[in-house]
Amino acid sequence: MDRRGSLVESQSGASPSPRNPLLCPDSHMDVQGYRWVYWRVWLCRWGAVLSLGLLLILFHWRPRLAVRARCCSCPLALADVLLLRDSFGQRMELVADLEDSDWRDTVQLHREEKTLLRYYLFEGLRYVWLARKGAFCRVSVLNEDWTCNDLYSFQRGLSHLEQSSRKKVYGPNLIDVPVKSYMRLLVEEVLNPFYMFQVFSITLWMVDKYYYYASCIFLISLLSISVSLYETRKQSTTLRSMAQLVTNVTIRRSSGEEECVSSVELVPGDCLLIPQEGLLLPCDAVLLAGECMVNESMLTGESVPILKTPLPAGEGRYSSQAQRRHTLFCGTQLIQARGGSSDGGGATAVVTSTGFFTAKGDLISSILHPQPINFSFYRDATKFLFFLGVVALIGTIYSLVVLSRSNATWTELVIRALDVVTIVVPPALPAAITTGTIYAQRRLKSQGVFCVSPPRINVCGKVSIFCFDKTGTLTEEGLDVWGVVQAGQAGFSELLPDPRLLPAGPMLSALACCHTVALLEGQPLGDPLELRMIQSTGWELIEPEGDQKALDAEFGGHRVLAVMRPPAQEVSVSEAGAIVRRFPFSSSLQRMSVVTVAPGGRPALAFIKGAPEMVASLSLRETVPEQFSSILRNFASEGFRVLALGYKPLDGKTDWRTLERGVVERDMQFLGLLVMKNMMKPESGEVINTLKLAQLRTVMVTGDNILTAVNVARNCGMMGSDERVMFVHATPQTAQSTPKLRFHLGEGGTQGTMEVLTEGLYQSGISYHLAVNGKSFSALCDYFPEYLPKVLMRATVYARMAPDQKTQLVKELQKLNYRVGMCGDGANDCGALRAADVGVSLSEAEASVASPFTSKSDNISCVPLLIREGRCSLVTSFSLFRYMALYSLIQFCSVLVLYTEKTNLGDLQFLFFDLVLVTLLAIVMGRGGPSEEVHPRRPSASLLAVPMVGGLFLHTSLIVLGQLAALFITKSQDWYVPLNSTKTGAANLPNLEDTSVFALSGYQYIIMAVVVTKGYPYKKPLYHNVVFLCILLILFAVMTWLVLCPGPVFSRLLQLNNIPDMNFKLLIVALAALNLLTCFVLELLIDHGLLSCRLLRGNRPSKKKYKQLDLLLSDCPSWPPLNQALSSAQYTVIGLS
C-alpha cells in the first residue's frame, strides 16, 4: 500500500527461500512454508486407520510432525500451510491454513483486474502477503508510514468503495475472543496428554479388576472435566463480553455526507465524528480537530482524565506512542469533546488502528496469549516428570523380574508392569503447581490487588530489586503551592508565598493560563498540579457554551478553547486571557505550552511551563538570572517540586491552527519559578524500611529533578542520613568532544570526607549511592556499556527519566539477572511496568494493559504484600509438588514390596489412600497464609536443586526402610502364617504382609503431609491452618483405629487381616511414630543445609551477574574514581611506539 493505504503492488510472487525468518516488528515470528503432498496425505490417513487413531492424536500433540509428514517445504509465496514460531522462541508450533480471497484494489480497478489477497490470522492479528518484502507481514505495516499530513488528508473521508476495499484487507473492527462449543472443548480436553493418561490408566485398572477404584477415578475425572469446561467457557464468555465493543458511530464520507455506521465497519483512514457528549471509543484514532477529555484508566491505571489536543500537521511520521497526547485509544471513555465544529461542539478524528491492533486489543491479546515466563520452577516441573519416568522404568524392570519368577502369565506381567507406571507418575502432579497460586490470587483479590497473569505470583517470591516511581507513588499525587520566585534584571526576588499577591503581568497570567484543565459539568478536571496552580491564583476557568461565535468575537474572532478571568476585584488591573492553542505536556519534552489572546485579539502571548532546566534552555540567555542553578539546587535539595515558566509575545496575524510547537517554544523570556511542596505518603517510609530489612534493593525512577529525587529518597529511607550521594555525569559525543564520564560528590561532602573518598576508603566506613539523570543514563547506555553494569549496581536514584528510559532501565537490570519489580501509577510507566518481572499499577481498575498486577490502594503498601504472597505461593507450590511426588513414591514402594511377596494392595485400599488421605490433604494443606514479615532470604525456585532431589531420595529411603521393617516384624511373629503361593496379586488378599504394609504406608501419607508443609519464615505456622490441622488429627485417628481395632465390617471392605495381637499393633503404631520422627529430623537437617551446595562443592561464586559484580565492587576500593574524566573504550586512542 502507499501512504494513503492503497495497494499498489502485485499480491503474487515467489519468496527467495523456503525458510524466511521474520524477526522484524512487521511479523515477530519465524515462518516456514509447506505444500500438500497428496500421496503423503493418503499414507497418513491409512496410518491413522491402522493405528486406531493414535497417529492423529500424535499429530494433534505435535503439529510440526503432522505438517512434515504430509507436506513438503516450499517458498512462502506458494505455501498452503505455514508453520509459525513466535518471537519468544516457544517450541509450541502452530499451524495456519492460508485464506485466499478475491480483492480488487483501487489502483487496478479501472482495468477490471482481480488480485488474490493471501493472509492468515495468528492470535487475532492479520498477516498479509507482501511480494515486495517476500514475506507475510502484519496488516498494520500498510499504514505505519503515514505522516501527520497524510492523516489530515483523510479528513475529507473515504468513499464507500474505498472503505469496502480496506475492510477486505484489514478485516472487521472486532476484538473477537473465540468462545468454543462444549463439544469442541470436550474433545480438546480429552485429547490433552493428562486425560489421555487417565483414560489409559482407567482402562488398565478395569482389566486388572480394580472396578471400584477405576469407577471412582472415572467419576472424578468426569467431574473435573465438567468443571474445567464450565470455567473455561465462562472465562471466554466474560472476556468476550469485555472485549467486544460494537456501537454506532458517525463517519464522514468523501462526498461530505455524514453517515451512521456500525463500529464493526470502521477501517484505518475513516474520518470519525465524535459527539460533544463523548463515547466509548471502539478503535484507535488520532485527534485532528477539537479537544477531548478522556478517561484512560482501563489502559494506564491513571484515574485523572487527560485532555487530548489536535495532532500538529507536518511531514513527520505519526506514532501513537510518541503522540500519545493526540491519540485516542480504543476502550477509553471520551467524557466530552468540543471545539471541533463550527458551533464549537464535538471533535474530529481519523481511525488509525482497528481490532487486535488497537490498545485494547493489545490488552486482550496479553490476557489470551500471555508472554511466557522464564522461571526455573516451571521449567523444572517438566524435567522432574522425566525423572519420575526414569524411576518408573526401573520399577517396571524390577516388577518384570520379580513376577517372572513367580510363574505369572504374560498378560499379568504386562498389566503389573504398566500398573507401576500409572503409580509412579501421578496425573495430578502438574495441577499441584497451580494450587498455591490459586489460593494466593484469592487472598490478593480480597485485599484489593488484582492479577491478570497468575503464574507471575510465584515470580513475586523471587524479586530481588524493586523500582518505584516518585510522584503519586512514593509521594502524594497532589501538590501544595509553596510560593513563586520572579526573575528580573537584578536576579530572583524573594519567595512570594501567595501567587495572588503578584502584580498584574506575564507571571500571573502564566500561572493562570498555562494548563490543560477542562470543565466537566462545571467541575474542573485535570492534572492535580495544574488544579492547585489555578486555585492559587484565584482566576476562574470558563469554557464556551451555547453560542461559540459570541465568545470568539470577544477575543478578536479567534477560536477560543477556554477563558481565564481574574477575580472581580482584580478586573481593573488584570485582563482576561483566552486560550486559543494548547501544546500538552510531554514526558519526553518535559514541558507544555499555550497560546493566549486578550479581549479584542491582542496581545497574543505564548506561555511555557515545565522542568526548570528545559525552560531555561529554551529561554533567551539574558533573561535567565545567574543564580538560576544555585536557587534551583537549594529548592530541589529541600525536596520541593520546582517548575519554571516563560513567555513571549507573538504576531497577532499568525494562524494558530497551523503554528508548529517548535516555533512557539523557542526564544522565550524567563519569568520565574513555581515552588510546590510534594508531601511523602505516610506508608512509603515504612514499606521501604521493610524491604531494606529484607535485603531487597529499592530504586527510585522519576521524571523529577535529581536533587528533589535525592531528598525524597533520603526522607523515605532509600538512603541513610549518614550515606553519601555521588552524581554520575556522562556526556555524549559531540562535534567538539568525545564522550566523558565523571563521578562527583553530592551535598555534604566536607574536605575530610573528600580525602577519605579519594583514598578509596569509603567501602570500609562510608556507604554511598549513585544518582543518575536521564541524559547521563542515555550516554552511559550508548557510549559507556563497560561502566553501565557497575553504575546500575550502586545507583539508587534515576531522575529526569523519560518513559522509554524507564523501560530500558528495567531491561538493563534484568540483564544482570535481577528479578525486577516495578511500581507506578501507570501513567508514564506503562512500558516499564510491562517489561518488569513484576509490574504493579496503583489504579482503581481491576485490569489494565499497564501491568500484570493492579492495586486499588493509592500507596505502595501492596508491594510487601505481593512479595509475601509470592513467597507463600512459591513455597506452597513447592510443598504440594513434593507431596504429590512422595505420595507416588510411597505407593510405588508399597507395590514393589508386595510384588516381591506375590501380593498387592486391594481395590478399596488404593481408593482409601488416594481419595480419603492424599486428595483431602492436598486440597487443604495449601490454605495457610503468608508470614507477617518479609524474610531476608528468598525461597528456592528450583525443583532440581540438590536439596530437593536429595531430600526426595533420603525420604524415599526412610519410607522403604519403614515398610520393610513392618514386613519383617510381621514375619518374625510366632503366629505368622505365609500367604498362599499359588495365587498372585489382589487374589491373595487378605494376608498379613499386605495388612502390615497397608498400616505403615497409610501413616506415611499423613507423615509426609506434615513434613513437607513448611511454615516459617514464608508462611504462617502450621497451627494457623486450622482446617489442615483438624484433618491431620482426624486422619491420624482414623489410621490408628484401622490399625488397632478396625472391626469386621471395615476389615472385610478393605480386605485387611484381623490380627488379634494388640502388642504387635502398638508396635506398628510406634514404628510409624519413629518414621515421623526420623523424617521430621531429616527435613530439619535439610532446611539447615545438610544437602547445601556449599557443603558438597565448596563456596562457589553465584551464577547471578549482579552478585558477581557486587563482590567485585566490594574488592575494588578505587571505584568509582571521583572527579576524574573517564573516556569511552569505543573512543580510546591507542598509541603505538
Side-chain angles (χ1 to χ4, degrees), residues 246-308:
V246 180
T247 183
N248 290 329
V249 294
T250 303
I251 60 173
R252 181 182 295 151
R253 292 297 185 192
S254 57
S255 60
E257 297 178 356
E258 296 180 3
E259 183 179 345
C260 182
V261 299
S262 170
S263 59
V264 179
E265 305 297 322
L266 291 176
V267 295
D270 267 328
C271 182
L272 185 65
L273 303 179
I274 303 170
Q276 186 169 355
E277 64 275 11
L279 78 160
L280 188 61
L281 200 65
C283 60
D284 281 1
V286 60
L287 190 61
L288 300 183
E291 293 184 334
C292 290
M293 185 63 73
V294 186
N295 182 352
E296 291 188 341
S297 60
M298 191 277 291
L299 293 179
T300 66
E302 178 60 65
S303 57
V304 177
I306 299 170
L307 183 69
K308 302 280 185 169

Side-chain angles (χ1 to χ4, degrees), residues 918-953:
V918 176
T919 303
L920 197 58
L921 287 170
I923 289 172
V924 297
M925 69 187 293
R927 287 174 56 88
S931 172
E932 295 297 330
E933 60 182 23
V934 185
H935 197 266
R937 191 180 72 235
R938 292 183 294 278
S940 173
S942 176
L943 290 170
L944 299 180
V946 173
M948 169 69 180
V949 179
L952 281 179
F953 175 76

Side-chain angles (χ1 to χ4, degrees), residues 766-980:
I766 302 175
S767 299
Y768 70 95
H769 297 266
L770 298 182
V772 191
N773 63 23
K775 290 182 179 178
S776 294
F777 179 74
S778 292
L780 274 168
C781 293
D782 295 338
Y783 301 102
F784 300 94
E786 67 275 21
Y787 292 112
L788 178 62
K790 295 182 180 180
V791 172
L792 294 176
M793 284 300 302
R794 294 292 183 256
T796 301
V797 170
Y798 298 85
R800 293 290 187 227
M801 296 284 280
D804 58 333
Q805 290 176 322
K806 294 181 181 181
T807 306
Q808 187 177 4
L809 171 64
V810 168
K811 292 180 178 179
E812 293 295 338
L813 288 170
Q814 288 171 331
K815 289 178 184 178
L816 297 179
N817 302 133
Y818 274 114
R819 285 286 177 189
V820 184
M822 175 74 194
C823 183
D825 57 11
N828 298 317
D829 311 313
C830 289
L833 289 168
R834 296 190 68 181
D837 297 289
V838 177
V840 190
S841 173
L842 306 182
S843 165
E844 290 295 322
E846 289 193 11
S848 75
V849 74
S851 62
F853 296 95
T854 307
S855 173
K856 284 196 171 183
S857 66
D858 61 351
N859 57 69
I860 62 172
S861 60
C862 60
V863 171
L865 172 66
L866 263 177
I867 293 172
R868 290 190 290 110
E869 285 289 1
R871 293 182 175 185
C872 175
S873 171
L874 185 57
V875 169
T876 301
S877 299
F878 232 89
S879 298
L880 279 165
F881 197 94
R882 289 185 66 199
Y883 181 65
M884 296 307 292
L886 283 168
Y887 140 69
S888 299
L889 292 171
I890 292 170
Q891 203 163 90
F892 173 70
C893 295
S894 301
V895 169
L896 291 188
V897 167
L898 293 176
Y899 275 3
T900 309
E901 296 297 319
K902 299 183 181 181
T903 186
N904 198 3
L905 293 170
D907 192 353
L908 292 179
Q909 289 176 357
F910 276 118
L911 198 61
F912 173 75
F913 287 153
D914 287 7
L915 296 186
V916 179
L917 296 185
V918 176
T919 303
L920 197 58
L921 287 170
I923 289 172
V924 297
M925 69 187 293
R927 287 174 56 88
S931 172
E932 295 297 330
E933 60 182 23
V934 185
H935 197 266
R937 191 180 72 235
R938 292 183 294 278
S940 173
S942 176
L943 290 170
L944 299 180
V946 173
M948 169 69 180
V949 179
L952 281 179
F953 175 76
L954 292 177
H955 280 304
T956 305
S957 301
L958 290 177
I959 287 165
V960 173
L961 288 174
Q963 293 182 11
L964 289 176
L967 183 64
F968 293 148
I969 290 172
T970 304
K971 286 188 173 184
S972 67
Q973 300 303 310
D974 297 336
W975 40 258
Y976 170 72
V977 178
L979 54 75
N980 186 352

Side-chain angles (χ1 to χ4, degrees), residues 99 219 410 489 515 611 615 635 713 741 756 1023 1031:
E99 298 184 34
L219 291 175
W410 277 105
Q489 293 181 349
H515 60 81
V615 174
F635 281 125
L741 174 64
V756 172
Y1023 57 79
I1031 288 178

Side-chain angles (χ1 to χ4, degrees), residues 61 307 438 521 687:
W61 291 344
L307 183 69
I438 293 169
E521 297 179 355
V687 170

Side-chain angles (χ1 to χ4, degrees), residues 664-682:
V664 174
E665 296 176 345
R666 70 184 182 203
D667 300 329
M668 307 295 288
Q669 296 184 38
F670 193 83
L671 285 173
L673 303 174
L674 171 65
V675 185
M676 309 190 83
K677 187 67 174 177
N678 198 188
M679 302 300 293
M680 184 78 63
K681 290 182 179 179

